[in-house]
Amino acid sequence: MGLRAPARRRQEGERHATWLELFFDLVFVLALAAVAGRLGPHASPRPPDAAIAFGLFALVQWAWVGQVFHDSRYDPDDAPHRLIVLAAMAGAGAIAAGVGDAPDTLLLPVGYLVVRGSVLVQYLRARISSRSAGEVTTIYFTGFGLAWLMWLASLAAPAHIRPAIWISAFGIELVTPWLGIRRLARFPVDTAHLPERIGQFTIILLGVSLTDMLAALRDHPPPRAIAAALVAFVMPASIWWIYTTFVTTRLALPRLRGGQAYAYLHLPYGAALLFLGWSLGQIVRLAASGAPALPLTLRLLLAAAIITWVLSGLALGWVSLRSLPRRRLAAALPCIALVAVIVATITRPVVLLILLAAALAGYAIITSHQIRAVAVREQRR
């Protein structure tokens, strides 16, 4: 069977996720859970462990988003395409299996090579079938191809050198779309499909957060643990409320263009959700054990996750409107200050959770109302 032409998607605003794309997401749930596991079982993670977990998360999300960008421009959904994506899923499975032991295992780089190699093969199909795909694919072949070769070379490198090669290759991949941003803007992504897919990945991250909290509830948990988990649930629920309000108002669509800024801002946004879920799970465990106080490292990690999420949300709002309403800042800045004060002064697990949950719930109510008001104003223009 030869390469068949994948037709370029027209920007009709009606492109939705396929069953294959949803199937593709399942493997990444395991990879994200493995990344959270790199923070370890202890309530006071070391800064190097947190940095490694962030780097691995960025790698996993980038492996996922590369497929999304391809599918937002080209998606033939034929038999060869399905087989290539299934091969990418096998690579994602290798990534999930290798995250825990990286860089000592070759599963991580081999899996990443398979995932990124499958994307390059799909761009090759697009290039063969369509002259208009030439500019897009040339950019990706140049940057992503060079990075792919570096990942391949890392297989022969000693374990202590591999991270340096991976970071260099990953940096090249991150820079590539920005170097070709003007050309890519002439071939924009589907303005409905990309936000929907990134939103689905965000929901997956929130699901991983809930899994961390539920895992903290062992058999026959004491009432204080159940109470702590219920209070902690308010925080991811508040985040979900704001995010879905933002996505459903479709504020980002008119200015999405190539989608780079929108997708890249979801890197710190998503990492914040992952770290938030892990931190909440640890707090619930400590509450269940009757711990009188939370370690400073855990409180700082929790505060950093919440503040990063707030700032990333502000940045997404700015990208959508090319401005930031003063009312949005008037809500965000006090929320950040309140979170910092709570984390600095409160050490008791349940009390900390109650105060932070109240702060985020209030922020969700105010911000969601502001987003809807802005959406109505934009529609009237």
Side-chain angles (χ1 to χ4, degrees):
M1 183 180 296
L3 296 180
R4 197 170 72 184
R8 180 174 178 267
R9 289 279 181 182
R10 290 184 298 176
Q11 310 307 308
E12 300 174 346
E14 298 179 355
R15 166 81 166 91
H16 296 290
T18 64
W19 292 109
L20 178 61
E21 289 175 305
L22 297 176
F23 189 38
F24 179 74
D25 294 347
L26 294 179
V27 184
F28 284 88
V29 176
L30 303 176
L32 291 170
V35 171
R38 283 300 298 255
L39 290 168
H42 304 293
S44 297
R46 299 181 305 152
D49 292 334
I52 291 172
F54 175 80
L56 290 171
F57 167 78
L59 190 70
V60 169
Q61 186 177 25
W62 186 252
W64 177 87
V65 84
Q67 182 67 45
V68 171
F69 267 88
H70 170 273
D71 292 344
S72 289
R73 287 191 175 96
Y74 318 100
D75 182 11
D77 197 25
D78 55 10
H81 173 74
R82 292 186 175 193
L83 291 173
I84 294 170
V85 173
L86 290 175
M89 289 180 63
I95 292 175
V99 160
D101 296 322
D104 297 323
T105 178
L106 292 178
L107 279 173
L108 177 66
V110 168
Y112 193 76
L113 282 166
V114 173
V115 173
R116 301 302 288 173
S118 70
V119 173
L120 289 174
V121 170
Q122 291 172 75
Y123 278 123
L124 176 61
R125 297 189 72 217
R127 186 182 185 92
I128 292 173
S129 68
S130 172
R131 291 182 180 179
S132 64
E135 289 191 63
V136 173
T137 55
T138 297
I139 294 168
Y140 289 146
F141 284 147
T142 302
F144 294 173
L146 174 60
W148 192 89
L149 292 175
M150 293 175 66
W151 277 91
L152 183 64
S154 74
L155 299 180
H160 67 280
I161 297 178
R162 287 177 200 151
I165 301 176
W166 297 346
I167 292 172
S168 300
F170 188 49
I172 291 173
E173 291 194 39
L174 289 176
V175 169
T176 295
W178 290 107
L179 294 179
I181 189 169
R182 291 185 178 180
R183 292 186 178 182
L184 294 176
R186 293 201 292 267
F187 302 91
V189 295
D190 189 290
T191 57
H193 180 254
L194 184 68
E196 178 186 279
R197 292 292 290 136
I198 292 179
Q200 289 165 351
F201 191 82
T202 304
I203 294 298
I204 289 173
L205 282 166
L206 287 171
V208 173
S209 299
L210 295 178
T211 301
D212 287 333
M213 288 187 289
L214 290 175
L217 297 176
R218 300 180 179 179
D219 295 337
H220 308 294
R224 61 176 175 270
I226 298 175
L230 289 173
V231 174
F233 171 73
V234 173
M235 284 183 258
S238 299
I239 292 171
W240 169 84
W241 195 287
I242 294 175
Y243 188 81
T244 54
T245 301
F246 169 71
V247 173
T248 55
T249 54
R250 304 168 71 89
L251 283 174
L253 302 193
R255 299 172 180 85
L256 193 64
R257 295 195 297 181
Q260 287 94 338
Y262 188 85
Y264 279 57
L265 283 173
H266 276 80
L267 176 59
Y269 194 101
L273 300 187
L274 190 73
F275 281 88
L276 174 68
W278 182 88
S279 300
L280 293 176
Q282 293 298 324
I283 294 174
V284 172
R285 286 187 179 89
L286 291 173
S289 65
L294 297 173
L296 177 62
T297 305
L298 179 59
R299 287 184 285 135
L300 290 176
L301 185 63
L302 177 61
I306 295 175
I307 292 172
T308 300
W309 163 69
V310 173
L311 294 176
S312 300
L314 288 176
L316 283 171
W318 183 86
V319 166
S320 302
L321 301 172
R322 292 298 185 267
S323 64
L324 203 57
R326 293 182 179 179
R327 291 184 179 181
R328 187 75 187 273
L329 284 174
L333 296 181
C335 179
I336 291 173
L338 184 58
V339 168
V341 170
I342 292 172
V343 169
T345 58
I346 306 299
T347 61
R348 295 181 62 184
V350 176
V351 176
L352 180 81
L353 288 175
I354 291 173
L355 293 176
L356 288 178
L360 264 64
Y363 182 66
I365 293 171
I366 296 171
T367 302
S368 297
H369 176 74
Q370 291 174 347
I371 292 173
R372 285 191 292 267
V374 171
V376 171
R377 186 169 64 249
E378 288 292 310
Q379 290 174 359
R380 291 175 178 174
R381 289 183 177 180

